[in-house]
């Protein structure tokens, strides 16, 4: 129905938004705000099956496919994680499996959140990206296999 | 007269801090405030020097070579054993077994003494505030032997319910394994009472000294524990080294843990006879360098004085608890009467992880999460806590930074 902007375009948009902040507190306040605004996931989806492993906080992620595009929804009990996952959803949701698989997600580094991808963080940003790509891969296999 | 003077001399934190090079670094452009000491303590220069000196001057395999370097390395390695013996006042040097740390020490006892003595239907008692390394080895043993693991409950202040402990004891109880000081709450458990009661029933007691050995005076003979375990890295020493203390008569009877070099007396393909204590339990080339440097850490702590350190840390803990509980929404978890320098807390409506992330941006290192004590967190019905734990080099000003940081973070998160 709508001309979806590319993953890269959304990434650039986020990088632009973050360039307005000149200190870390403003950046995090923005992420926290995104986290608060993220639509909560219905309780029926907050089950172990949808939980992402390896997170200090609880993170649930679900994916739906409609007309060849994948739509993500997620939730967490930690607000910064909610903010981070809300950005991932904004970037990746509504794209084809192949586009999601090809996404480089450089914006995470560019907005200074790369440390959240580190293994030791165990806040699951890395696990979330992996899980989203995993869903995309599964749909891709289903589609082409 | 002079001893009184030294006692009242103020603890010179500035001088202490100069001994720890890492404290000079910046994190995210701010002075590092390191409050994750219960996870691992930072290392003083003397420990780093001892490590470097070993590799620079006398790296050699120990106990076998007859050349000078091997003799020097062996002497240094064995000197650590003597220092540990003094540090915990063990009766004999061969009661000191080097391990990789507390986890290995507990696993060693479970796999040797435990396997030898636990039969189907026997019972092992631990407490509700154990970290996973004092739970899982016993679970594995219980599963293997069809034995039963029982748990002393914890009350709302984070203290053991001692009356329940006596209720748990039956003729089948064979081992009590108990943490001396809780890593997540700081509670110091009445181990002497526990040991006395257990011994009346001929039950062997292991005391997990992971958190206590750095803060409290340890006298294993007075405590009368059967086993005591330590990790060097929590006592300002290197990682990868620890100590299992065991009463000689128990260690003598126990089968070896791992087979290999060093732990043998004679090997033929038919039969192997084992080396004497402590070497029976020290198979293979040990972690020589870190063990050697561990001595420097213990000497350093002894020189500064455990009593001085304790007073300083107690003052910090008290101050931190007062200041933090003054912030709206902060709830302290673990308010036992006797505590080590651990302050655990949660904030209403704030996930500990969010707090940890924001504090890190202020250069403050705290631990957030379940602290490898999931059953204990379940007990308090919380996902985890924010934990600040203090060491000899921490200051009141740093606590002020934490309190400021927590207040600011709450402002951002709410």
């Amino acid at each position: 129905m709508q001309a979806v902007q590319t993953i890269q375009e959304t990434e650039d948009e986020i990088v632009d938004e973050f360039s307005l902040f000149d200190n870390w507190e403003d950046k995090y306040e923005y992420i926290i705000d995104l986290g608060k605004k993220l639509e909560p996931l219905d309780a029926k989806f907050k089950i172990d099956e949808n939980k992402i492993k390896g997170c200090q906080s609880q993170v649930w992620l679900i994916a739906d496919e409609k007309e060849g595009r994948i739509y993500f929804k997620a939730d967490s009990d930690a607000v910064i994680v909610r903010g981070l996952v809300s950005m991932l959803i904004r970037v990746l949701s509504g794209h084809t499996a192949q586009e999601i698989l090809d996404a480089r997600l450089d914006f995470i580094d560019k907005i200074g959140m790369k440390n959240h991808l580190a293994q030791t963080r165990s806040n699951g940003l890395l696990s979330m990206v992996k899980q989203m790509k995993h869903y995309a891969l599964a749909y891709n296999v289903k589609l082409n296999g | 007269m002079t001893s009184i003077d030294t006692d009242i001399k103020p603890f010179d934190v500035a001088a202490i801090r100069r001994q720890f090079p890492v404290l000079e670094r910046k994190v995210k452009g701010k002075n590092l405030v390191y409050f994750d000491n219960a996870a691992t303590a930072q290392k003083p220069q003397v420990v780093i020097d001892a490590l470097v000196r070993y590799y620079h001057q006398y790296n050699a395999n120990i106990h076998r070579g007859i050349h000078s370097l091997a003799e020097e390395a062996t002497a240094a390695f064995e000197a650590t054993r003597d220092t540990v013996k003094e540090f915990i006042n063990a009766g004999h040097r061969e009661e000191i077994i080097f391990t990789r740390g507390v986890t290995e020490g507990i696993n060693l006892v479970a796999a040797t003494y435990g396997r030898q003595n636990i039969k189907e239907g026997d019972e092992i008692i631990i407490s509700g505030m154990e970290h996973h390394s004092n739970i899982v080895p016993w679970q594995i043993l219980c599963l293997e032997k069809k034995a039963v693991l029982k748990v002393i409950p914890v009350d709302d202040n984070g203290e053991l319910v001692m009356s329940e402990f006596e209720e748990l004891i039956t003729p089948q109880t064979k081992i009590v394994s108990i943490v001396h000081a809780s890593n997540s709450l700081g509670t110091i458990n009445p181990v002497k009472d526990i040991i006395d009661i257990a011994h009346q029933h001929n039950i062997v007691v292991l005391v997990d000294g992971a958190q206590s050995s750095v803060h409290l005076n340890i006298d294993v003979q007075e405590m009368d524990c059967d086993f005591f375990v330590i990790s060097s890295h929590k006592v300002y020493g290197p990682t990868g080294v620890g100590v299992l203390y065991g009463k000689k008569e128990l260690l003598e009877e126990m089968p070896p843990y791992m087979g290999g070099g060093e732990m043998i007396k004679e090997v033929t393909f038919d039969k192997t006879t084992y080396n004497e204590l402590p070497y029976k339990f020290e198979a293979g080339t040990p972690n020589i360098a870190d063990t050697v440097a561990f001595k420097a850490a213990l000497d350093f702590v002894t020189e500064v004085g455990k009593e001085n350190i304790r007073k300083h840390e107690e003052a910090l803990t008290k101050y931190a608890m007062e200041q933090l509980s003054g912030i709206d929404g902060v709830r302290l978890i673990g308010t036992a009467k006797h505590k080590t320098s651990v302050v655990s807390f949660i904030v209403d409506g704030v996930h500990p992880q969010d707090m940890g992330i924001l504090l890190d941006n202020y250069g403050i290192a705290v631990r957030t999460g379940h602290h490898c004590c999931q059953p204990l967190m379940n007990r308090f019905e919380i996902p985890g806590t924010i934990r600040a734990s203090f060491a000899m080099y921490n200051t009141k000003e740093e606590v002020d930074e934490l309190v400021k940081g927590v207040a600011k973070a709450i402002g951002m998160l709410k």
Side-chain angles (χ1 to χ4, degrees):
Chain A
M1 45 168 199
Q2 81 278 41
V4 187
Q5 66 180 18
T6 65
I7 287 179
Q8 192 55 55
E9 281 164 356
T10 317
E11 286 197 43
D12 292 346
E13 212 174 74
I14 294 176
V15 173
D16 271 353
E17 287 163 17
F18 271 79
S19 68
L20 301 172
F21 306 127
D22 49 14
N23 65 60
W24 73 267
E25 277 156 319
D26 290 347
K27 243 188 242 181
Y28 273 90
E29 268 174 359
Y30 182 64
I31 293 170
I32 291 164
D33 200 42
L34 291 176
K36 284 178 182 165
K37 284 180 183 150
L38 180 71
E39 193 191 330
L41 201 57
D42 197 292
K44 70 176 180 216
F45 295 118
K46 291 185 175 181
I47 51 173
D48 271 1
E49 261 175 73
N50 296 327
K51 235 188 210 179
I52 294 178
K53 305 274 182 293
C55 307
Q56 205 183 81
S57 50
Q58 306 194 74
V59 188
W60 300 270
L61 176 73
I62 57 169
D64 251 329
E65 187 252 6
K66 250 181 256 151
E67 295 161 7
R69 295 179 184 277
I70 298 173
Y71 296 86
F72 295 106
K73 276 186 181 171
D75 206 343
S76 169
D77 54 355
V79 71
I80 293 174
V81 171
R82 281 175 65 101
L84 294 170
V85 81
S86 128
M87 285 194 286
L88 284 177
I89 291 174
R90 177 172 159 201
V91 169
L92 295 176
S93 202
H95 289 277
T96 66
Q98 195 54 51
E99 285 166 349
I100 294 167
L101 285 169
D102 291 343
R104 297 172 38 138
L105 304 175
D106 292 336
F107 79 100
I108 298 170
D109 189 9
K110 288 184 186 152
I111 64 172
M113 292 292 138
K114 198 187 174 188
N115 58 342
H116 287 283
L117 282 173
Q119 299 279 1
T120 52
R121 278 288 168 158
S122 28
N123 67 8
L125 187 57
L126 189 68
S127 318
M128 281 186 267
V129 171
K130 271 191 192 158
Q131 191 57 38
M132 285 173 154
K133 294 212 169 199
H134 192 79
Y135 273 125
L137 188 66
Y139 281 114
N140 225 8
V141 169
K142 206 170 84 180
L143 222 65
N144 305 318
Chain B
M1 285 300 278
T2 42
S3 68
I4 293 169
D5 283 351
T6 6
D7 275 343
I8 54 165
K9 192 176 77 181
F11 189 81
D12 191 353
V13 186
I16 298 273
R17 289 182 70 83
R18 284 196 292 275
Q19 307 297 316
F20 291 84
V22 78
L23 298 178
E24 285 160 26
R25 70 161 284 181
K26 304 254 179 201
V27 171
K28 312 227 157 128
K30 297 169 189 79
N31 292 327
L32 165 68
V33 174
Y34 186 77
F35 282 163
D36 196 16
N37 296 287
T40 195
Q42 297 299 342
K43 317 306 171 200
Q45 189 64 49
V46 281
V47 169
I48 299 163
D49 288 346
L51 262 177
V52 171
R53 198 162 50 240
Y54 169 79
Y55 283 121
H56 269 187
Q57 294 179 9
Y58 58 97
N59 169 51
N61 211 331
I62 53 170
H63 295 143
R64 315 158 209 209
I66 51 157
H67 53 81
S68 301
L69 260 60
E71 271 172 26
E72 285 174 35
T74 304
F77 183 86
E78 291 301 329
T80 302
R81 202 184 307 275
D82 293 323
T83 302
V84 172
K85 173 185 172 282
E86 297 298 318
F87 196 77
I88 63 172
N89 194 32
H92 312 272
R93 68 186 311 278
E94 59 270 32
E95 293 179 324
I96 307 300
I97 315 283
F98 289 119
T99 63
R100 281 185 299 158
V102 154
T103 300
E104 191 179 53
I106 298 172
N107 275 279
L108 190 159
V109 175
T112 58
Y113 182 87
R115 279 222 183 109
Q116 196 176 40
N117 293 285
I118 295 292
K119 301 182 303 295
E120 187 172 342
D122 281 347
E123 295 166 358
I124 297 166
I125 298 178
I126 59 172
S127 87
M129 64 174 85
E130 303 306 324
H131 57 140
H132 297 158
S133 53
N134 198 24
I135 302 174
V136 185
W138 304 115
Q139 280 175 332
I140 293 172
L141 178 65
C142 286
L143 208 64
E144 184 188 315
K145 297 286 185 181
K146 297 194 174 70
V148 182
L149 192 63
K150 290 180 157 182
V151 183
I152 311 170
V154 176
D155 70 14
D156 289 342
N157 292 325
E159 291 178 331
L160 293 180
V161 185
M162 282 297 284
S163 55
E164 299 269 340
F165 169 55
E166 294 196 54
E167 298 283 314
L168 289 177
I169 295 174
T170 73
Q172 278 71 51
T173 311
K174 297 289 155 65
I175 298 173
V176 171
S177 191
I178 194 92
V179 71
H180 196 175
S182 154
N183 69 323
S184 44
L185 307 176
T187 311
I188 299 170
N189 288 319
V191 286
K192 182 78 189 107
D193 296 342
I194 291 172
I195 291 162
D196 287 346
I197 295 166
H199 282 176
Q200 284 165 25
H201 300 268
N202 294 317
I203 300 165
V204 159
V205 182
L206 182 149
V207 175
D208 172 354
Q211 297 294 331
S212 64
S213 36
V214 64
H215 301 293
L216 311 176
N217 275 319
I218 306 294
D219 184 331
V220 289
Q221 293 187 79
E222 196 207 332
M223 199 192 294
D224 200 26
C225 54
D226 300 288
F227 299 105
F228 191 87
V229 287
I230 301 175
S231 282
S232 145
H233 72 95
K234 297 205 200 272
V235 198
Y236 307 99
T239 54
V241 185
V243 169
L244 163 67
Y245 156 84
K247 279 183 184 162
K248 203 174 155 185
E249 53 275 25
L250 289 170
L251 294 174
E252 298 275 14
E253 292 302 315
M254 283 154 54
Y257 179 45
M258 289 198 280
E262 188 84 19
M263 54 78 73
I264 46 92
K265 193 181 268 169
E266 243 182 306
V267 178
T268 69
F269 284 114
D270 296 324
K271 189 181 184 314
T272 294
T273 50
Y274 304 125
N275 204 339
E276 60 207 21
L277 289 175
Y279 310 109
K280 182 169 89 174
F281 294 105
E282 293 179 357
T285 298
N287 183 351
I288 305 168
D290 292 312
T291 307
V292 165
F294 183 26
K295 181 183 189 314
L298 295 177
D299 288 343
F300 181 78
V301 169
T302 305
E303 197 185 310
V304 178
K306 265 195 174 174
E307 206 43 47
N308 297 331
I309 299 170
R310 189 162 152 71
K311 274 187 204 150
H312 173 71
E313 291 173 345
E314 257 175 8
L316 283 180
T317 308
K318 191 165 166 266
Y319 181 65
M321 286 176 79
E322 279 165 13
Q323 295 296 310
L324 285 168
S325 54
I327 302 174
D328 203 28
V330 168
R331 176 154 73 98
L332 299 175
I333 304 290
T335 45
K337 209 154 68 189
H338 302 288
K339 272 180 69 142
T340 56
S341 51
V342 167
V343 179
S344 242
F345 62 98
I346 56 170
V347 182
D348 289 341
V350 170
H351 196 285
Q353 186 190 31
D354 290 327
M355 182 59 74
I357 290 171
L358 296 181
L359 288 178
D360 177 56
N361 280 286
Y362 290 113
I364 302 168
V366 293
R367 180 76 177 269
T368 62
H370 53 65
H371 316 297
C372 297
C373 291
Q374 285 175 7
L376 184 65
M377 297 299 121
N378 294 341
R379 155 72 181 81
F380 285 99
E381 294 174 348
I382 51 178
T385 71
I386 304 137
R387 179 188 71 186
S389 49
F390 311 121
M392 61 165 93
Y393 40 70
N394 290 126
T395 65
K396 196 166 163 271
E397 289 71 28
E398 288 180 312
V399 174
D400 290 335
E401 286 300 311
L402 170 72
V403 173
K404 251 185 354 207
V406 169
K408 274 198 210 162
I410 292 175
M412 288 173 74
L413 289 162
K414 282 203 166 163

